[in-house]
Amino acid sequence: MPLPKVVLFATGGTIVSSGASATQMTGYSLQGLRVEDLIAAVPALSEAADIEAHQISNIDSSSMTSAVWMKLARAVENAARRDDVTGIVVTHGTDTMEETAYFLNLVLKTRKPVVLTGAMRPATAISADGPLNLLNAVRTAAAPQAAGKGVLIVLNDAIGTARDMTKTHPTNVATFRGPDLGIIGMISGARIEFLAAPVKCHAESSPFSLEKLEAWTAAHGALPRVDIVYSHTDDDGVMVRAALAAGARGIVHAGTGNGSIHEGTEPALFEAARQGALVVRASRTGSGSTVEGLAAWQNAGFVPAGSLNPQKARVLLQLCLTQTTDSAEIDALFRRC
Ligand code: ASP
């Protein structure tokens, strides 16, 4: 039996970072290691799959850009269309992994497994988590039961969906969680066990596609600008006005509680909507669903983010704005995606 072919796209992150000593867990460097070193460090990979590796970028994911997303998405989509490919793994920094995963989840049109993984500890660290995460990700990408579940995040023996998983801890290896739904699968030894499947849109059920986005970026130079404004005591709308001045077409307001808005900021958000920027009300609470609030907010066309956190609401709003600026249509897309 030939081994399943898994194509690996490396983008950077801690998984290919090195420190000066085995105990250096922060402040390490991205210089020196490449995707080939990663693969060489895990000999068991050659028993799990026939791996073909490509480097997309070599950046810390805190500096991720939508230009890298577009390049990565095109590479993944092309690999997924190949008959000889069973699944795809993307290695990525953990800081913004959830955003890239959700973007890919919304734009790819494949049922083949696409798995993002990374590491919390650099490759040189004592108890580095990257090698096992990579092996688990490759095994998941090669597993028939991982197909049709949208883009997945695999770290620390857990499998979660791109939509639900979020980074919850700055340094712990158990950082990825789905705050409300938890994980959908577990990896125990070599066994991959799925316990649930996502119901929100992905692949064929997603209203977005890479082709349409490529046409948009060719015509406009980039995805629509969407800024996140984080609410706090003494908030006075200055960040909303700055976002508008910078050309934001959308603003995700990470409000308090159920997407609440400081009275000092409310006039700036009303003005933003009046000038044509789409306002999404998300919550800074970290879990739950942000739903309708004051009638004045609904009447102004503010769209509640539902169960998306602010950074994922931003990804979805960027994609929505390539199709429509109508708040009712965007509200419907937020309920679906
Ligand atoms: N700062 C790193 C990154 O996101 C953290 C990590 O990969 O765990 O690229």
Side-chain angles (χ1 to χ4, degrees):
M1 257 296 261
L3 285 171
K5 182 174 273 295
V6 171
V7 183
L8 192 159
F9 294 106
T11 65
T14 296
I15 194 164
V16 282
S17 295
S18 47
S21 73
T23 51
Q24 187 178 357
M25 303 286 178
T26 57
Y28 36 79
S29 148
L30 251 173
Q31 303 307 314
L33 290 177
R34 307 292 285 184
V35 58
E36 298 75 25
D37 304 302
L38 202 62
I39 294 168
V42 193
L45 283 174
S46 61
E47 288 155 33
D50 171 14
I51 299 194
E52 176 188 311
H54 303 274
Q55 191 97 35
I56 295 287
S57 61
N58 197 34
I59 56 174
D60 190 291
S61 79
S62 52
S63 297
M64 186 50 63
T65 64
S66 45
V68 175
W69 282 353
M70 294 297 291
K71 183 178 170 194
L72 174 65
R74 173 44 62 206
V76 174
E77 180 92 26
N78 289 350
R81 285 184 190 159
R82 281 167 47 188
D83 290 340
D84 63 326
V85 172
T86 301
I88 289 126
V89 168
V90 177
T91 55
H92 196 287
T94 58
D95 285 359
T96 59
M97 183 181 291
E98 63 193 87
E99 291 165 58
T100 301
Y102 187 48
F103 174 78
L104 293 175
N105 187 63
L106 291 171
V107 305
L108 297 175
K109 290 289 179 218
T110 182
R111 284 185 55 79
K112 291 183 182 175
V114 176
V115 180
L116 272 76
T117 195
M120 290 298 288
R121 296 178 182 145
T124 45
I126 186 170
S127 295
D129 53 332
L132 184 56
N133 284 344
L134 182 60
L135 180 59
N136 282 340
V138 168
R139 283 177 169 158
T140 305
Q145 66 269 38
K149 296 196 169 58
V151 172
L152 301 170
I153 290 181
V154 167
L155 265 98
N156 201 38
D157 293 345
I159 307 172
T161 68
R163 189 180 193 282
D164 300 326
M165 295 292 259
T166 187
K167 186 171 183 178
T168 64
H169 194 292
T171 55
N172 197 296
V173 293
T175 186
F176 277 96
R177 288 162 204 252
D180 292 306
L181 299 173
I183 58 176
I184 65 162
M186 297 187 294
I187 305 172
S188 316
R191 180 182 299 194
I192 300 194
E193 185 180 2
F194 279 92
L195 303 148
V199 296
K200 292 286 191 171
C201 71
H202 58 86
E204 290 310 322
S205 66
S206 170
F208 307 107
S209 77
L210 190 53
E211 280 72 23
K212 282 193 259 174
L213 279 193
E214 285 170 340
W216 169 278
T217 49
H220 298 86
L223 293 179
R225 181 183 179 111
V226 174
D227 289 302
I228 299 176
V229 174
Y230 199 97
S231 183
H232 52 85
T233 300
D234 291 336
D235 201 1
D236 62 2
V238 69
M239 302 307 278
V240 173
R241 287 189 288 275
L244 262 194
R249 304 311 307 142
I251 293 173
V252 174
H253 179 259
T256 47
N258 179 38
S260 294
I261 303 166
H262 197 293
E263 61 183 15
T265 302
E266 213 178 31
L269 281 176
F270 285 144
E271 178 59 20
R274 212 189 52 73
Q275 289 187 26
L278 202 295
V279 175
V280 167
R281 290 174 38 249
S283 173
R284 60 174 214 178
T285 57
S287 64
S289 204
T290 307
V291 296
E292 290 73 7
L294 298 181
W297 301 339
Q298 292 301 118
N299 294 340
F302 296 178
V303 173
S307 53
L308 290 174
N309 67 23
Q311 56 272 32
K312 291 194 201 189
R314 178 181 175 275
V315 175
L316 179 55
L317 183 53
Q318 279 190 294
L319 298 190
C320 289
L321 289 170
T322 65
Q323 296 196 355
T324 178
T325 53
D326 182 273
S327 69
E329 284 176 31
I330 291 180
D331 186 56
L333 289 166
F334 265 73
R335 287 166 197 259
R336 235 177 103 186
C337 295

